[in-house]
Coordinates of all heavy atoms in Angstrom, one line a residue:
Chain B
Y41 N 21.6 14.2 -12.2 CA 20.9 13.7 -11.0 C 19.6 13.2 -11.4 O 19.1 13.2 -12.5 CB 20.6 14.9 -10.0 CG 21.8 15.6 -9.7 CD1 22.1 16.9 -10.3 CD2 22.8 15.1 -8.7 CE1 23.3 17.5 -10.1 CE2 23.9 15.8 -8.5 CZ 24.2 17.0 -9.2 OH 25.4 17.7 -8.9
H42 N 19.0 12.4 -10.5 CA 17.7 11.8 -10.6 C 17.1 12.0 -9.1 O 17.6 12.7 -8.4 CB 17.6 10.4 -11.1 CG 18.3 9.4 -10.2 ND1 19.7 9.2 -10.1 CD2 17.8 8.5 -9.3 CE1 20.0 8.3 -9.2 NE2 18.9 7.9 -8.7
G43 N 16.0 11.4 -8.8 CA 15.6 11.7 -7.4 C 14.5 10.5 -6.9 O 14.1 9.7 -7.7
H44 N 14.1 10.7 -5.8 CA 13.3 9.8 -5.0 C 12.3 10.4 -4.0 O 12.5 11.4 -3.5 CB 14.1 8.7 -4.3 CG 15.1 7.9 -5.1 ND1 14.6 6.9 -6.0 CD2 16.3 7.8 -5.3 CE1 15.6 6.4 -6.6 NE2 16.7 6.9 -6.2
N45 N 11.2 9.6 -3.8 CA 10.3 9.9 -2.6 C 10.9 9.0 -1.5 O 10.6 7.8 -1.5 CB 9.0 9.6 -2.9 CG 8.3 10.4 -4.0 OD1 8.7 11.5 -4.3 ND2 7.4 9.8 -4.7
Y46 N 11.8 9.5 -0.7 CA 12.3 8.6 0.5 C 11.2 8.6 1.6 O 10.6 9.6 1.9 CB 13.5 9.3 1.0 CG 14.8 9.3 0.1 CD1 15.0 10.3 -0.8 CD2 15.5 8.1 0.1 CE1 16.2 10.2 -1.6 CE2 16.7 8.0 -0.8 CZ 17.0 9.1 -1.5 OH 18.0 9.1 -2.4
E47 N 11.1 7.4 2.1 CA 10.3 7.1 3.3 C 11.0 6.6 4.3 O 11.9 5.7 4.1 CB 9.1 6.0 3.0 CG 8.1 6.5 2.0 CD 6.9 7.2 2.8 OE1 6.8 7.0 3.9 OE2 6.2 7.9 2.1
M48 N 11.0 7.2 5.6 CA 11.9 6.7 6.6 C 11.0 6.3 7.8 O 10.0 6.9 8.1 CB 12.8 7.8 7.2 CG 12.2 9.1 7.5 SD 13.4 10.4 7.8 CE 14.2 9.7 9.3
E49 N 11.5 5.2 8.4 CA 10.8 4.7 9.7 C 11.8 4.8 10.8 O 12.9 4.2 10.8 CB 10.4 3.2 9.5 CG 9.1 3.0 8.6 CD 8.7 1.6 8.5 OE1 9.4 0.7 9.2 OE2 7.9 1.3 7.6
V50 N 11.4 5.6 11.8 CA 12.3 5.7 12.9 C 11.8 4.9 14.1 O 10.6 5.1 14.5 CB 12.4 7.2 13.4 CG1 13.3 7.4 14.6 CG2 13.0 8.0 12.2
K51 N 12.6 4.0 14.6 CA 12.1 3.0 15.6 C 12.9 3.4 17.0 O 14.1 3.5 17.0 CB 12.5 1.7 15.2 CG 12.3 0.5 16.2 CD 12.9 -0.8 15.7 CE 12.8 -2.0 16.6 NZ 13.2 -3.2 16.0
V52 N 12.1 3.6 18.1 CA 12.6 4.0 19.3 C 12.1 2.9 20.3 O 11.0 2.6 20.4 CB 12.2 5.4 19.8 CG1 12.6 5.6 21.2 CG2 12.6 6.5 18.7
T53 N 13.0 2.4 21.1 CA 12.7 1.2 21.9 C 13.0 1.7 23.4 O 14.2 2.1 23.7 CB 13.5 0.0 21.6 OG1 13.2 -0.4 20.3 CG2 13.1 -1.2 22.5
G54 N 12.0 1.5 24.3 CA 12.1 1.7 25.7 C 11.0 1.3 26.6 O 10.1 0.6 25.9
V55 N 10.9 1.6 27.8 CA 9.9 1.2 28.6 C 8.8 2.3 28.7 O 9.2 3.5 28.9 CB 10.4 1.0 30.0 CG1 9.3 0.5 30.9 CG2 11.4 -0.2 30.0
P56 N 7.5 2.0 28.4 CA 6.5 3.1 28.4 C 6.4 3.7 29.8 O 6.5 3.0 30.8 CB 5.2 2.4 28.1 CG 5.6 1.1 27.4 CD 7.0 0.7 28.1
A57 N 6.3 5.1 29.9 CA 6.2 5.8 31.2 C 4.8 5.4 31.8 O 3.9 5.4 31.1 CB 6.4 7.2 30.8
A58 N 4.8 5.3 33.2 CA 3.6 5.0 33.9 C 2.6 6.0 33.7 O 1.3 5.7 33.6 CB 3.9 4.7 35.2
D59 N 2.9 7.3 33.7 CA 1.8 8.4 33.6 C 1.3 8.7 32.3 O 0.1 9.0 32.1 CB 2.4 9.6 34.3 CG 3.6 10.1 33.8 OD1 4.3 9.3 32.8 OD2 4.1 11.1 34.3
T60 N 2.0 8.4 31.2 CA 1.6 8.7 29.9 C 1.2 7.5 29.0 O 0.5 7.5 28.1 CB 2.7 9.6 29.0 OG1 3.9 8.7 29.0 CG2 3.0 10.9 29.7
G61 N 2.0 6.4 29.3 CA 1.9 5.2 28.5 C 2.7 5.3 27.3 O 2.6 4.5 26.4
F62 N 3.5 6.4 27.2 CA 4.4 6.6 26.0 C 5.8 6.1 26.2 O 6.4 6.3 27.3 CB 4.5 8.1 25.7 CG 3.3 8.8 25.2 CD1 3.3 10.1 25.3 CD2 2.3 8.1 24.6 CE1 2.1 10.8 24.9 CE2 1.3 8.7 24.0 CZ 1.1 10.2 24.2
V63 N 6.5 5.4 25.2 CA 7.9 5.2 25.2 C 8.5 6.6 24.9 O 9.5 7.0 25.6 CB 8.3 4.2 24.1 CG1 9.8 4.1 23.9 CG2 7.7 2.8 24.5
I64 N 7.9 7.2 23.9 CA 8.3 8.6 23.6 C 7.0 9.1 22.8 O 6.3 8.3 22.2 CB 9.5 8.6 22.6 CG1 10.0 10.0 22.4 CG2 9.3 7.9 21.3 CD1 11.3 10.1 21.6
D65 N 6.8 10.4 23.2 CA 5.6 11.0 22.5 C 5.8 11.0 21.1 O 6.7 11.6 20.5 CB 5.5 12.3 23.1 CG 4.2 13.1 22.5 OD1 3.6 12.6 21.5 OD2 4.0 14.2 23.0
L66 N 5.0 10.3 20.2 CA 5.2 10.2 18.8 C 5.2 11.6 18.1 O 5.6 11.8 17.0 CB 4.3 9.1 18.2 CG 4.8 7.7 18.5 CD1 3.7 6.7 18.0 CD2 6.1 7.4 17.8
K67 N 4.4 12.4 18.7 CA 4.3 13.8 18.1 C 5.6 14.5 18.4 O 6.1 15.3 17.4 CB 3.1 14.5 18.9 CG 2.9 16.0 18.5 CD 2.4 16.3 17.1 CE 2.2 17.7 16.8 NZ 3.3 18.6 16.9
F68 N 6.3 14.4 19.5 CA 7.6 14.9 19.7 C 8.6 14.2 18.8 O 9.4 14.9 18.3 CB 7.9 14.6 21.2 CG 9.3 14.9 21.7 CD1 9.7 16.3 21.8 CD2 10.2 13.9 21.9 CE1 11.0 16.5 22.2 CE2 11.6 14.2 22.3 CZ 11.9 15.5 22.4
L69 N 8.5 13.0 18.6 CA 9.4 12.3 17.8 C 9.3 12.8 16.3 O 10.3 13.1 15.6 CB 9.1 10.7 17.8 CG 10.1 9.9 16.9 CD1 11.6 10.1 17.2 CD2 9.8 8.4 17.0
S70 N 8.0 13.0 15.9 CA 7.8 13.6 14.6 C 8.3 15.0 14.5 O 8.9 15.3 13.4 CB 6.2 13.5 14.4 OG 5.9 14.2 13.2
D71 N 8.3 15.8 15.5 CA 8.8 17.1 15.5 C 10.4 17.1 15.4 O 10.9 17.8 14.6 CB 8.4 17.9 16.8 CG 6.9 18.2 16.7 OD1 6.2 18.2 15.7 OD2 6.4 18.6 17.8
I72 N 10.9 16.2 16.1 CA 12.4 16.0 16.1 C 12.9 15.7 14.5 O 13.7 16.2 14.1 CB 13.0 15.0 17.0 CG1 12.8 15.4 18.4 CG2 14.4 14.7 16.7 CD1 13.2 14.4 19.4
I73 N 12.2 14.7 14.0 CA 12.5 14.3 12.6 C 12.3 15.5 11.6 O 13.1 15.6 10.8 CB 11.6 13.0 12.2 CG1 11.8 11.8 13.2 CG2 11.8 12.7 10.9 CD1 10.8 10.8 13.1
K74 N 11.2 16.2 11.9 CA 10.9 17.3 10.9 C 12.1 18.4 11.1 O 12.5 18.8 10.1 CB 9.6 17.9 11.3 CG 8.4 17.1 10.8 CD 7.1 17.8 10.7 CE 6.0 16.9 10.2 NZ 5.1 16.4 11.3
E75 N 12.4 18.7 12.3 CA 13.4 19.7 12.5 C 14.8 19.4 12.1 O 15.6 20.1 11.5 CB 13.4 20.2 14.0 CG 12.2 21.1 14.3 CD 12.0 21.1 15.9 OE1 13.0 20.8 16.7 OE2 10.8 21.1 16.3
E76 N 15.1 18.1 12.5 CA 16.6 17.7 12.2 C 16.7 17.1 10.9 O 18.0 17.0 10.5 CB 16.9 16.7 13.4 CG 16.8 17.3 14.8 CD 17.7 18.4 15.1 OE1 18.8 18.4 14.4 OE2 17.3 19.4 15.8
I77 N 15.8 16.4 10.4 CA 16.0 15.5 9.1 C 15.3 16.3 8.0 O 15.9 16.6 6.9 CB 15.5 14.1 9.3 CG1 16.2 13.5 10.5 CG2 15.8 13.4 8.0 CD1 17.8 13.4 10.4
L78 N 14.0 16.4 8.0 CA 13.3 16.9 6.9 C 13.7 18.3 6.3 O 13.8 18.6 5.3 CB 11.7 16.8 7.1 CG 11.2 15.5 7.5 CD1 9.7 15.5 7.4 CD2 11.7 14.3 6.6
E79 N 14.0 19.2 7.5 CA 14.3 20.5 7.2 C 15.6 20.6 6.4 O 15.9 21.4 5.5 CB 14.6 21.2 8.5 CG 14.7 22.7 8.5 CD 13.3 23.4 8.0 OE1 12.3 22.8 8.4 OE2 13.4 24.4 7.4
K80 N 16.5 19.5 6.6 CA 17.8 19.5 5.9 C 17.7 18.8 4.6 O 18.4 19.1 3.7 CB 18.8 18.6 6.8 CG 19.5 19.3 8.0 CD 20.3 18.3 8.8 CE 21.6 17.9 8.0 NZ 22.7 18.8 8.1
L81 N 16.9 17.8 4.5 CA 16.9 16.8 3.3 C 15.8 17.0 2.3 O 16.0 16.7 1.2 CB 17.0 15.4 3.8 CG 18.3 14.8 4.2 CD1 18.8 15.2 5.5 CD2 18.2 13.2 4.2
D82 N 14.6 17.6 2.9 CA 13.4 17.6 2.0 C 13.6 18.5 0.9 O 13.9 19.8 1.1 CB 12.1 17.9 2.8 CG 10.9 17.7 2.0 OD1 10.9 16.8 1.1 OD2 9.9 18.4 2.3
H83 N 13.2 18.2 -0.4 CA 13.3 19.0 -1.5 C 14.7 19.6 -1.7 O 15.0 20.7 -2.2 CB 12.3 20.2 -1.5 CG 10.9 19.7 -1.8 ND1 10.1 18.9 -1.0 CD2 10.2 19.8 -3.0 CE1 8.9 18.7 -1.5 NE2 9.0 19.2 -2.9
K84 N 15.7 18.7 -1.4 CA 17.2 19.1 -1.6 C 17.8 18.2 -2.5 O 17.3 17.2 -2.9 CB 17.8 19.1 -0.2 CG 17.3 20.1 0.7 CD 17.6 21.4 0.4 CE 16.9 22.5 1.2 NZ 17.2 22.3 2.7
N85 N 19.0 18.6 -3.0 CA 19.9 17.8 -3.7 C 21.0 17.3 -2.8 O 21.8 18.1 -2.2 CB 20.5 18.6 -4.9 CG 21.4 17.8 -5.7 OD1 22.3 17.1 -5.2 ND2 21.3 17.8 -7.1
L86 N 20.9 16.0 -2.5 CA 21.8 15.5 -1.4 C 23.2 15.8 -1.8 O 24.0 16.1 -0.8 CB 21.5 14.0 -1.2 CG 20.1 13.6 -0.8 CD1 20.0 12.0 -0.7 CD2 19.6 14.3 0.4
N87 N 23.7 15.5 -3.0 CA 25.1 15.8 -3.3 C 25.5 17.3 -3.1 O 26.6 17.5 -2.7 CB 25.3 15.4 -4.7 CG 25.0 13.9 -5.1 OD1 23.8 13.6 -5.1 ND2 26.0 13.1 -5.2
L88 N 24.7 18.2 -3.6 CA 25.1 19.6 -3.6 C 24.6 20.4 -2.4 O 25.4 21.3 -2.0 CB 24.3 20.3 -4.8 CG 24.8 19.7 -6.2 CD1 24.1 20.5 -7.4 CD2 26.3 19.7 -6.4
D89 N 23.6 20.1 -1.7 CA 23.0 20.9 -0.7 C 23.5 20.4 0.7 O 23.3 21.2 1.7 CB 21.5 20.9 -0.8 CG 21.0 21.7 -1.9 OD1 21.7 22.6 -2.5 OD2 19.9 21.2 -2.5
L90 N 24.0 19.2 0.8 CA 24.3 18.7 2.2 C 25.9 18.4 2.3 O 26.4 17.6 1.6 CB 23.6 17.3 2.4 CG 22.2 17.5 3.1 CD1 21.1 17.7 2.0 CD2 21.9 16.4 4.0
P91 N 26.4 19.1 3.3 CA 27.9 19.0 3.5 C 28.2 17.5 3.8 O 29.3 17.1 3.4 CB 28.2 19.9 4.7 CG 26.9 20.4 5.1 CD 25.9 20.2 4.2
E92 N 27.3 16.8 4.5 CA 27.5 15.4 4.8 C 27.9 14.5 3.6 O 28.6 13.6 3.7 CB 26.4 14.7 5.5 CG 26.1 15.1 6.9 CD 25.3 16.5 7.0 OE1 25.2 17.1 5.9 OE2 24.8 16.8 8.0
F93 N 27.4 14.9 2.4 CA 27.6 14.2 1.2 C 28.6 14.8 0.3 O 28.7 14.4 -0.9 CB 26.3 13.8 0.5 CG 25.4 13.0 1.4 CD1 24.1 13.5 2.0 CD2 25.7 11.7 1.7 CE1 23.4 12.8 2.8 CE2 24.9 10.9 2.5 CZ 23.8 11.4 3.2
A94 N 29.4 15.8 0.8 CA 30.3 16.4 -0.2 C 31.4 15.4 -0.7 O 31.9 15.4 -1.8 CB 31.0 17.5 0.6
K95 N 31.8 14.4 0.3 CA 32.8 13.4 0.0 C 32.2 12.0 0.2 O 32.9 11.0 -0.1 CB 34.0 13.6 0.8 CG 34.6 14.9 0.5 CD 36.1 15.0 1.2 CE 36.7 16.3 0.8 NZ 37.9 16.6 1.5
L96 N 31.0 11.9 0.6 CA 30.3 10.6 0.9 C 29.3 10.4 -0.1 O 28.4 11.1 -0.3 CB 29.8 10.6 2.3 CG 29.1 9.4 2.9 CD1 30.2 8.3 3.1 CD2 28.3 9.7 4.2
N97 N 29.3 9.1 -0.8 CA 28.4 8.8 -1.9 C 27.0 8.6 -1.2 O 26.9 7.8 -0.3 CB 28.9 7.5 -2.4 CG 28.2 7.3 -3.8 OD1 27.7 8.2 -4.5 ND2 28.4 6.1 -4.4
P98 N 25.9 9.3 -1.7 CA 24.7 9.2 -1.1 C 23.8 8.0 -1.4 O 22.7 8.0 -2.0 CB 23.9 10.5 -1.5 CG 24.6 10.9 -2.8 CD 26.0 10.4 -2.7

Side-chain angles (χ1 to χ4, degrees):
Chain B
Y41 311 96
H42 63 283
H44 296 290
N45 301 333
Y46 290 95
E47 289 275 341
M48 53 188 295
E49 285 177 9
V50 177
K51 175 185 179 177
V52 176
T53 301
V55 180
D59 54 355
T60 59
F62 289 159
V63 170
I64 187 173
D65 180 349
L66 286 169
K67 175 72 174 62
F68 171 73
L69 179 58
S70 170
D71 288 345
I72 290 177
I73 300 169
K74 285 191 178 103
E75 284 160 31
E76 301 296 331
I77 306 298
L78 304 191
E79 196 65 32
K80 281 175 69 83
L81 279 73
D82 188 33
H83 283 74
K84 294 294 168 59
N85 182 309
L86 301 181
N87 304 67
L88 299 181
D89 295 329
L90 270 84
E92 286 87 345
F93 299 109
K95 297 186 177 174
L96 184 69
N97 202 14

